[in-house]
Amino acid sequence: MIEASAALLALVLVVFWFHGATLGTSWCCDDPQILLHAARHSPWSYFFDPVVWRSLVPFSFTPWLTWSYDLDLKL
């Protein structure tokens, strides 16, 4: 039991050593707008209604981005 706990702690420390800096960049720039867009619209509308998906990014079709935020919101 102690060996397993020590191994888990060592693994967590190694992961944070290599990837800890990315924790500071998890919420940035346009993330609140994308989350708000996901909360306001249904997946059907941001996949199939051009007015809705253009309200987020008018020059690019990005429903998968909104859908990923919608999944996060539901979780």
Side-chain angles (χ1 to χ4, degrees):
M1 181 69 175
I2 292 175
E3 294 87 8
S5 297
L8 180 62
L9 178 62
L11 180 62
V12 168
L13 290 175
V14 167
V15 168
F16 274 101
W17 176 265
F18 285 108
H19 302 290
T22 61
L23 292 175
T25 61
S26 63
W27 188 255
C28 179
C29 311
D30 59 353
D31 292 340
Q33 278 305 111
I34 300 168
L35 185 63
L36 186 61
H37 189 259
R40 287 184 175 166
H41 303 289
S42 69
W44 178 262
S45 65
Y46 57 73
F47 271 98
F48 298 108
D49 185 0
V51 173
V52 173
W53 61 259
R54 285 183 185 139
S55 68
L56 179 63
V57 181
F59 49 83
S60 181
F61 181 58
T62 59
W64 293 105
L65 177 65
T66 304
W67 185 67
S68 70
Y69 278 74
D70 202 4
L71 287 177
D72 291 340
L73 184 63
K74 291 198 181 1
L75 290 175

